[in-house]
Amino acid sequence: MGANTKKTGLADQVRAAMKKRRKPFTPIQIAKALELPPGPKREAVAKVIGDFHQRGEVERVGQSERGYLYRYNRKYKRPERPANLKRKVLKAIRYAGMKGAFTTEDVLFRAGVSKSHIHKILRNLENRGFVEVAGQKNRELSYGLENMYQVTDDDRFRRELL
Amino acid sequence: MRNHYVRTENAMRFEDMCQELESKESLIGPSLAMLTGPAGRGKSAAAERYASQTEAVYIAPMNVLSPTMVLKDICFELAAQRPRYTDACLRLIKDEMNRHRRLIMVDEADLKEMRTLEMLRNLNEYANCPILLIGEMDLISKVSSRTRIVSRIRRSLTFEPVTPADMALFFKRGLDQELTPDVVKVLHQASYGDWRPILLMVLVCERALSASSLKAITPGLAKEAAAAAEAARKSGAWGKHGRKH
């Protein structure tokens, strides 16, 4: 398939067809509603609905002779995204954490926001167990020590915060 | 030292290229692109910063990954999921790109297997997702060996050596020091155009300034810092880095 191939947007079409239905449905009913011929195109619809089910956007409510019965989850909401600034800091923390222990300077370098903002977010993340203090190092420009942090669980960080 | 990101000419051209790859109005569409340069030029730093500031996705270096593992990593970065099977990964990426096109940046692509690069080329075509391959100069010859890949690379950028002006700006932002032309010349020569020696020289200067009564970086101090950078280079601190420019 080349870069100039027209997008089908099958997922969006399936989503729209599912939202119209009030009663539970099977994948084949959705495929028929989209006027898709039997064969690979109808199979693609079943796969798309399977993906939606995995994400929680549809619920499996039973089984019929023709396959599983689904219902569109109208309460489904895409994971809420933090405010833009906070998101930059969170992404910066995650990328800094991929290289091991990091300091607020490492986060500042990537996020480009104020140090106080980064400190506030790091304290909050530490309290919630997303990061932990991994040690201390000498400050570069002044006296004393500064904390080095590490991300405790990258998968959890990505899933719950981003 | 304040580790400030300096928006160099390299960085600005890099950001322009990334924005062009992501833009729906772009003439080149969701394409393959390449960023190359010797180690220490700031490629990874630029990519991580861009990914932190935008919705782009950064795939960190990990050379042991198979093509399928890279695919799953991309799925995880895009949608926080790792589908079990390859076809589910491809569908997820395509669905995510249809919903919201994002640039995928793959670091140390020069160290990836050819199978992985071919997979990324296929992914670019199948899912209409823009992919930026980042690597050292070996990446150019690696990609050039496959017409299928090189013919699809619509944008290519090589990070040039750090300029004296960039370096002076970094000293200004990091240490609040205005360098004289002779000091710039000494330090820049010792840097070989790469950031790692510059970072070392900044630290040397910073420690000397705080330990003595000096208020500014003198030519003598600059020579000390340059000597430290040269010693580190000769000891192989930065691998193959340190080519003359």
Side-chain angles (χ1 to χ4, degrees):
Chain A
M1 209 187 264
N4 294 324
T5 303
K6 195 176 175 183
K7 296 175 193 174
T8 61
L10 179 63
D12 283 338
Q13 292 174 46
V14 169
R15 186 180 284 114
M18 290 190 299
K19 280 183 175 179
K20 282 181 187 172
R21 297 190 152 253
R22 295 290 166 190
K23 292 181 182 178
F25 52 84
T26 59
I28 198 158
Q29 287 174 318
I30 299 296
K32 283 181 179 176
L34 295 175
E35 297 177 355
L36 294 174
K41 291 188 178 179
R42 285 196 183 176
E43 287 166 19
V45 170
K47 286 181 181 175
V48 165
I49 292 177
D51 292 341
F52 283 166
H53 175 240
Q54 195 180 7
R55 292 177 215 165
E57 198 172 343
V58 298
E59 297 164 322
R60 193 178 283 169
V61 295
Q63 196 160 0
S64 73
E65 291 169 2
R66 293 203 163 209
Y68 286 114
L69 282 169
Y70 296 93
R71 181 186 290 129
Y72 187 79
N73 180 6
R74 293 177 196 283
K75 291 181 184 173
Y76 173 77
K77 280 182 187 175
R78 291 185 70 185
E80 280 187 19
R81 297 188 178 273
N84 204 31
L85 206 60
K86 187 179 176 186
R87 185 174 172 77
K88 281 186 194 179
V89 174
L90 291 173
K91 283 189 94 175
I93 287 171
R94 184 158 176 259
Y95 290 137
M98 284 179 181
K99 289 181 156 51
F102 61 91
T103 63
T104 49
E105 289 283 347
D106 296 324
V107 179
L108 175 69
F109 182 82
R110 288 163 177 82
V113 302
S114 70
K115 240 183 177 178
S116 59
H117 201 80
I118 294 168
H119 276 303
K120 188 178 165 187
I121 291 174
L122 274 172
R123 268 200 309 274
N124 178 266
L125 293 177
E126 192 185 349
N127 290 339
R128 292 161 68 191
F130 286 101
V131 302
E132 61 188 6
V133 174
Q136 292 187 311
K137 62 174 270 193
N138 287 319
R139 290 183 190 277
E140 300 287 355
L141 190 56
S142 61
Y143 297 104
L145 301 170
E146 60 174 336
N147 283 339
M148 295 192 71
Y149 297 90
Q150 63 187 14
V151 174
T152 53
D153 183 339
D154 181 70
D155 276 20
R156 182 182 164 227
F157 195 105
R158 169 63 183 91
R159 288 197 170 103
E160 295 185 31
L161 297 177
L162 296 168
Chain B
M1 178 185 76
R2 293 180 292 274
N3 194 6
H4 271 275
Y5 182 78
V6 172
R7 209 156 163 260
T8 61
E9 189 64 37
N10 281 335
M12 287 192 278
R13 287 189 294 144
F14 170 76
E15 287 167 20
D16 285 344
M17 181 172 71
C18 291
Q19 283 161 14
E20 189 182 11
L21 288 166
E22 288 177 317
S23 169
K24 286 184 181 174
E25 284 79 38
S26 145
L27 294 174
I28 60 169
S31 302
L32 284 179
M34 198 162 61
L35 169 65
T36 53
R41 291 278 167 92
K43 301 184 300 296
S44 297
E48 286 182 32
R49 183 173 165 101
Y50 188 83
S52 297
Q53 308 256 343
T54 66
E55 292 297 315
V57 152
Y58 173 76
I59 305 298
M62 182 58 76
N63 305 329
V64 297
L65 296 184
S66 66
T68 307
M69 290 164 80
V70 172
L71 211 52
K72 288 183 182 183
D73 268 3
I74 293 172
C75 286
F76 189 71
E77 294 301 316
L78 288 174
Q81 294 178 50
R82 284 198 180 92
R84 192 172 177 185
Y85 300 110
T86 302
D87 61 339
C89 287
L90 292 172
R91 281 199 310 277
L92 176 60
I93 295 170
K94 188 171 186 175
D95 197 24
E96 284 294 318
M97 286 295 147
N98 283 341
R99 194 196 310 277
H100 177 32
R101 182 193 290 180
R102 279 159 282 178
L103 175 63
I104 298 172
M105 297 189 278
V106 180
D107 204 356
E108 291 193 4
D110 52 318
L111 298 179
K112 298 269 188 280
E113 294 175 8
M114 193 53 79
R115 295 190 301 148
T116 303
L117 298 181
E118 289 281 9
M119 180 277 291
L120 291 170
R121 191 257 313 167
N122 282 330
L123 180 64
N124 163 251
E125 291 176 357
Y126 172 74
N128 285 327
C129 65
I131 296 176
L132 173 64
L133 304 175
I134 303 171
E136 294 189 21
M137 302 309 286
D138 295 344
L139 180 60
I140 298 174
S141 52
K142 194 164 188 172
V143 161
S144 300
S145 68
R146 294 289 174 102
T147 317
R148 279 192 299 263
I149 300 176
V150 75
S151 63
R152 284 167 175 79
I153 293 182
R154 303 290 179 89
R155 286 290 180 267
S156 186
L157 174 65
T158 296
F159 267 19
E160 298 298 325
V162 178
T163 64
D166 292 337
M167 190 194 70
L169 183 59
F170 188 75
F171 270 82
K172 171 70 180 165
R173 293 247 183 103
L175 286 184
D176 203 20
Q177 285 285 319
E178 293 277 2
L179 303 180
T180 57
D182 51 344
V183 166
V184 169
K185 187 179 176 184
V186 167
L187 294 175
H188 186 251
Q189 206 157 12
S191 75
Y192 290 96
D194 291 335
W195 283 109
R196 287 170 195 168
I198 293 173
L199 287 172
L200 174 62
M201 289 190 288
V202 166
L203 283 174
V204 169
C205 291
E206 179 268 317
R207 283 172 191 156
L209 288 170
S210 58
S212 69
S213 56
L214 286 174
K215 299 286 182 200
I217 298 174
T218 60
L221 178 53
K223 282 178 185 165
E224 268 184 49
E230 188 63 27
R233 190 185 70 82
K234 283 182 177 167
S235 71
W238 302 303
K240 292 191 292 183
H241 143 85
R243 294 182 193 80
K244 283 187 185 281
H245 55 89

